[in-house]
Amino acid sequence: MHAVQFADHGDRDVIEYAQRPDPSAGRGEVLVDVKAGALNHLDVWTRRGLPGIDLEMPHVPGSDMAGVVESVGDGVTRFEPGDRVALTAGVSCGECEFCRDGEESQCVNYHLIGEHVPGVHAEYAAVPEDNLVAVPVGVDWETAAAAPLVFQTAWRMLMTRAELRAGESVLVLGASGGVGHAAVQIADFAGAEVFATASTDEKLEYAREIGADHVVNYEETDFASELYELTDGRGVDVVVDHVGGETWDDSLKSLAKGGRLVTCGATAGATPETNINRVFWNQLSILGSTMATPGEVDDVLAKVWDGTFEVRVRDRLPMSETARAHELLEDREGFGKVVVVPDSELDE
């Protein structure tokens, strides 16, 4: 089969679409004929190299995909050949104190398919049965492939960690990205007043279309100052910041007294300075969030499958052009998710 891979960490030129041995389903595993995959900023960071993660090379990236079950290994009970499935990438042990308490994403051995172990951007992928969810007939492959990681992440951030309530206000940074565009829709669904930032007027219009009540172009204005004006000096109840870096201080400035900042990543930098005086004086909460529990995944994907939430796709490319897909993410081109499809699927 052909698969996306890289043999060294580095720039986009390390990515290749090469032949690899065909995988097979081991015990508890399912072999999936991949119809589509989707990229996340995690793929960019994995390609560049992450501290403390020593990958077996060449590494196949990809934490999002959907396809048809080709075969199943011994012990598999939930799926059979011909089933439509999508990947949910978080792997937990099922035995530690956190797993036993129903908090699988806090597992002491938690890891992600595509980041810590080989991923799924290939013609075929063998993955644990527990990491697959059923995809209803009628849901297109692009939606099925692009939804799981970002929508589960945004759902847990807002609904579980931040405990968002109807009537509250939410600021979503980077509303044009995968997590951002999911968070805008979830906040709107929850009955919140939604503020969103993006870098172009076109992206801001898309944000309005999917639920943003107020939009701010962060390339043209300081979003913390703009939020101050828009909220009559109050600030918002919740900030979704998956950007980090230089946005961090402004995110804290944008919070009302007793506000909550929830973060799932730091695409612009992981070690910003924090004004601790602001945190304690305004009694702010800073909440971390990673992926989701199986129950949270089921809850949010049910709303994707029935059309309550929409997966916006900025581009669809063959897997042989994955380097261009990385470029779209790195240069912040477009709105929503980038989907890659096995070249063999495009030839059919």
Side-chain angles (χ1 to χ4, degrees), residues 71 79 86 90 150 156 158 203 213 254 286 302-303 327:
S71 62
F79 301 103
V150 295
R156 180 171 174 84
L158 285 166
K203 291 177 181 179
D213 300 294
S254 299
I286 298 175
K303 298 185 186 308
E327 183 180 21

Side-chain angles (χ1 to χ4, degrees), residues 125-195:
V127 297
E129 174 186 27
D130 289 344
N131 286 97
L132 293 174
V133 294
V135 176
V137 173
V139 175
D140 64 84
W141 291 124
E142 291 182 357
T143 294
L149 192 146
V150 295
F151 274 90
Q152 69 175 282
T153 298
W155 182 268
R156 180 171 174 84
M157 289 174 78
L158 285 166
M159 306 304 287
T160 302
R161 298 293 288 141
E163 298 181 316
L164 181 63
R165 298 180 293 274
E168 291 192 309
S169 52
V170 178
L171 168 63
V172 178
L173 301 191
S176 66
V179 170
H181 95 296
V184 167
Q185 295 179 69
I186 292 167
D188 178 56
F189 170 81
E193 182 179 13
V194 184
F195 300 77

Side-chain angles (χ1 to χ4, degrees), residues 30-328:
V30 174
L31 181 65
V32 180
D33 179 359
V34 176
K35 301 300 182 183
L39 270 76
N40 300 280
H41 274 283
L42 177 62
D43 295 295
V44 173
W45 293 114
T46 303
R47 186 203 79 219
R48 292 176 180 173
L50 290 163
I53 299 179
D54 185 16
L55 298 175
E56 181 179 342
M57 295 294 188
H59 177 75
V60 176
S63 302
D64 267 330
M65 70 87 178
V68 177
V69 174
E70 180 79 7
S71 62
V72 300
D74 292 342
V76 171
T77 60
R78 294 175 52 228
F79 301 103
E80 59 185 28
D83 285 350
R84 293 162 51 89
V85 295
L87 181 76
T88 176
V91 182
S92 55
C93 72
E95 299 176 355
C96 70
E97 60 178 298
F98 300 101
C99 288
R100 290 172 59 84
D101 199 35
E103 288 291 355
E104 290 87 349
S105 67
Q106 294 181 16
C107 174
V108 296
N109 295 307
Y110 198 70
H111 59 278
L112 297 183
I113 294 170
E115 178 184 10
H116 305 89
V117 296
V120 292
H121 287 175
E123 292 180 304
Y124 292 90
V127 297
E129 174 186 27
D130 289 344
N131 286 97
L132 293 174
V133 294
V135 176
V137 173
V139 175
D140 64 84
W141 291 124
E142 291 182 357
T143 294
L149 192 146
V150 295
F151 274 90
Q152 69 175 282
T153 298
W155 182 268
R156 180 171 174 84
M157 289 174 78
L158 285 166
M159 306 304 287
T160 302
R161 298 293 288 141
E163 298 181 316
L164 181 63
R165 298 180 293 274
E168 291 192 309
S169 52
V170 178
L171 168 63
V172 178
L173 301 191
S176 66
V179 170
H181 95 296
V184 167
Q185 295 179 69
I186 292 167
D188 178 56
F189 170 81
E193 182 179 13
V194 184
F195 300 77
T197 74
S199 60
T200 69
D201 290 340
E202 182 182 22
K203 291 177 181 179
L204 294 173
E205 183 56 37
Y206 280 131
R208 285 189 184 277
E209 289 179 8
I210 61 174
D213 300 294
H214 314 276
V215 295
V216 178
N217 187 325
Y218 65 77
E219 293 285 0
E220 297 179 353
T221 185
D222 174 75
F223 73 80
S225 298
E226 187 75 10
L227 259 290
Y228 185 88
E229 296 295 329
L230 290 170
T231 62
D232 295 325
R234 178 186 182 274
V236 296
D237 298 297
V238 176
V239 172
V240 175
D241 186 341
H242 54 97
V243 181
E246 294 180 356
T247 71
W248 186 255
D249 190 52
D250 280 344
S251 291
L252 292 173
K253 288 180 183 178
S254 299
L255 286 168
K257 292 272 191 174
R260 294 98 74 195
L261 186 156
V262 59
T263 178
C264 67
T267 57
T271 57
E273 292 186 2
T274 298
N275 185 334
I276 296 175
N277 292 334
R278 177 174 288 114
V279 174
F280 71 71
W281 188 254
N282 291 335
Q283 301 186 53
L284 306 179
S285 297
I286 298 175
L287 305 166
S289 189
T290 295
M291 299 292 281
T293 67
E296 291 164 340
V297 172
D298 290 343
D299 288 346
V300 71
L301 289 185
K303 298 185 186 308
V304 174
W305 304 152
D306 71 13
T308 300
F309 300 139
E310 174 189 359
V311 181
R312 287 288 179 100
V313 174
R314 68 179 79 176
D315 214 335
R316 178 177 181 265
L317 299 168
M319 283 189 179
S320 59
E321 296 181 20
T322 294
R324 169 59 181 154
H326 279 234
E327 183 180 21
L328 287 168

